Amino acid sequence: MIAIGCDHAGVEMKNAVKEYLTEKGFELKDLGTNGEPCDYPVMAEKLCGEITSGNCEKGILICGTGIGMSIAANKIKGIRAALCADYFSTKYTRKHNDANVMCMGARTLGPGLASELAEIFLTTEFEGGRHQRRVDLITALENK
């Protein structure tokens, strides 16, 4: 199960990404918002809770730039959120960082690119190996 959520700036993009991913066979849990005003830290906490509780495997967060969601999500223990705006960064945040939340900006990306990046994020596997040691170091930092 994949969690998806946004603030009010990201509703249209969230709906486009959700439709695309559903057509590709992904099972999504839409956490909103659906147009009502929403503070992005509240949505980030809600979505990340779905991941840290084990209800969802990964998450997609959308706000105006994706930056606020990234900052807020990375405050949650166990979350590795990455701002994704291009193919290479999206692919390698999964391969090398084992990111479990992708963040995107509705005012910086079009819905077509956002949808394709979401698919890349969700289908790219973590390489492990030497990268696991680095992810473990990140986890150690958050546990200090």
Side-chain angles (χ1 to χ4, degrees):
M1 176 77 68
I2 307 302
I4 188 167
C6 65
D7 68 1
H8 51 278
V11 174
E12 287 182 34
M13 181 178 285
K14 180 198 72 169
N15 290 337
V17 171
K18 182 180 166 184
E19 180 180 341
Y20 177 89
L21 291 175
T22 299
E23 289 175 4
K24 294 285 185 174
F26 290 94
E27 188 177 354
L28 300 170
K29 183 172 188 176
D30 187 343
L31 302 174
T33 186
N34 294 306
E36 62 279 2
C38 172
D39 295 320
Y40 60 83
V42 173
M43 179 55 64
E45 182 178 27
K46 182 178 179 181
L47 183 137
C48 292
E50 291 292 318
I51 295 168
T52 59
S53 70
N55 292 332
C56 293
E57 179 185 347
K58 294 185 185 85
I60 299 168
L61 286 168
I62 302 167
C63 66
T65 63
I67 297 168
M69 287 290 197
S70 297
I71 293 169
N74 278 311
K75 298 296 182 186
I76 311 287
K77 185 175 180 170
I79 298 299
R80 289 176 306 283
L83 179 61
C84 296
D86 64 85
Y87 170 85
F88 188 86
S89 298
T90 301
K91 182 175 180 177
Y92 281 87
T93 198
R94 285 289 310 128
K95 288 175 77 81
H96 291 185
N97 308 123
D98 197 21
N100 51 10
V101 175
M102 79 175 308
C103 302
M104 295 186 286
R107 295 179 180 138
T108 62
L109 295 175
L113 178 57
S115 296
E116 290 181 12
L117 293 178
E119 183 178 13
I120 291 164
F121 183 83
L122 296 175
T123 58
T124 301
E125 295 295 324
F126 177 51
E127 285 183 353
R130 72 182 193 275
H131 304 293
Q132 183 61 59
R133 181 176 59 81
R134 294 169 184 149
V135 170
D136 292 344
L137 289 168
I138 292 169
T139 301
L141 284 174
E142 83 179 351
N143 288 326
K144 280 189 176 182

